[in-house]
Amino acid sequence: MSTDRPCEPSAARPDCELFCRVVDNFGDIGVCWRLARELAARGLRVRLWVDDWATLARLCPAAGAGRDGVHSAGVELRRWEEVFPRVEPARLVVEAFACELPEIHLSAMAACRPAPAWVNLEYLSAEDWVEGCHGMASPHPRLGLVKHFVFPGFTPATGGLLRECGLLQARRLFQGDAQAPAAWLKGLGLRPAPGALVVSLFAYAHDGLADLLDAWAAGPRPLCLLVPHGRMARALAAAFGAASAAPGDVFARGLLTAHILPFTGQDAYDRLLWACDLNFVRGEDSFVRAQWAARPFVWQIYAQEEGAHHAKLEAFLGRHGENLAEDVAAPLRRFWHAWNGLAAAGGEPESPAACWPAMAAVLPALSVHAQGWAAALESLPDLAGVLAQYPDATVKS
């Protein structure tokens, strides 16, 4: 047991602090920054520790000033460096995605009376076993602390999904106004061709991108492709034979027009998803936002060693397509498998380009399904609310 002096209550003590190591570029920090902002919006004093300050600054320009301890959106932003400072722990300590807390902070937590609530926020999964693990407790072998596991998920027996207060109402107002999506795109300087399919693309590097671009260029329908500036924008430029890509650049071939967008904050990204007919997303944060957008989407899951992500992808496809007719679900599964490089029935992965015509044909049905799916998700627990109440929650042992 630590011999440090027990921490005493102070008015400045945060209600909650989150620890985030940036592994999946914007995936981990995207979830943590959005969660921290929402907890602060609900009246909690929140502190966020991040080990990759440059990536945080892309999402939160206030961090770009470089100062440790700056506040933004009601959140205190702190650098998580190798030499960790001695600070008073928050009442609720959230260890995001098993990032492992600094030993000095664990000792400070053990010295507190009462000890802080300690939560390990796990990755989102649709797998069945998540229900049995959500809320379980794990005692620390030395310090007398107990860590509880919170699993986001797609059933009432999980921690649910992250959604901000007012998010769904804002989306309904936006999409309920027939002029709003086009007006929002016009504000970005975009005027898709009449009847064009508007598609956003946020993805990891993909060998099949060039062929898919060719398929889109060949029609039969105009396609307006919107790509946030970053790695995928550079890959897009290369597919068009260009050496680089910058915000505002436009690449055109056949019926395809691709626009490079400035990298944007999370709220604007939500509206981009709301304004599109189809969204390609990756990782976890944009994956959840695409579902709240109530639009058809294609998920590129973060690849894990030995194909561990395959079961996770299949579990979601099974749950998401549960109420879909097979003639709609089959093209969706086929395209998702191709986009994620999974083997088809014949034993080899198909190209996304080969699967695109069938996927395009079922987009009207998928649009209806996406609206029903988003409505069904509203009945799930609210992840921020689950965490905000956690110090008083009853958990499994």
Side-chain angles (χ1 to χ4, degrees), residues 29 48 58 75-76 117 195 204 234 290 297 306 313 324 358:
I29 186 56
L48 174 61
R58 296 289 304 279
V75 179
E76 179 188 4
Y204 303 114
R234 293 190 289 273
F297 66 99
E306 300 180 359
L313 182 72
L324 274 175

Side-chain angles (χ1 to χ4, degrees), residues 201-206 231-232 280-282 300 339:
L201 177 62
F202 183 53
Y204 303 114
H206 203 294
R231 295 177 183 176
M232 183 50 63
F280 284 73
V281 292
R282 72 182 205 195
Q300 186 180 19
W339 189 244

Side-chain angles (χ1 to χ4, degrees), residues 34-68:
R34 197 183 294 275
L35 179 57
R37 288 193 302 148
E38 179 58 18
L39 290 169
R42 298 185 186 200
L44 277 67
R45 294 184 297 274
V46 181
R47 181 165 63 201
L48 174 61
W49 298 93
V50 182
D51 69 332
D52 185 340
W53 204 253
T55 300
L56 171 63
R58 296 289 304 279
L59 294 176
C60 173
R67 291 189 297 108
D68 189 25

Side-chain angles (χ1 to χ4, degrees), residues 287-362:
F287 171 50
V288 173
R289 308 316 288 189
Q291 293 174 70
W292 289 132
R295 293 285 192 250
F297 66 99
V298 178
W299 181 32
Q300 186 180 19
I301 192 170
Y302 183 73
Q304 296 175 287
E305 293 182 2
E306 300 180 359
H309 58 293
H310 294 177
K312 190 173 179 179
L313 182 72
E314 293 299 339
F316 180 77
L317 274 171
R319 195 175 296 277
H320 182 62
E322 201 168 32
N323 297 319
L324 274 175
E326 182 59 21
D327 61 350
V328 177
L332 174 70
R333 285 196 304 269
R334 184 184 172 203
F335 191 85
W336 279 40
H337 286 167
W339 189 244
N340 283 280
L342 301 189
E348 293 293 331
E350 294 185 273
S351 73
C355 302
W356 172 250
M359 175 70 176
V362 298

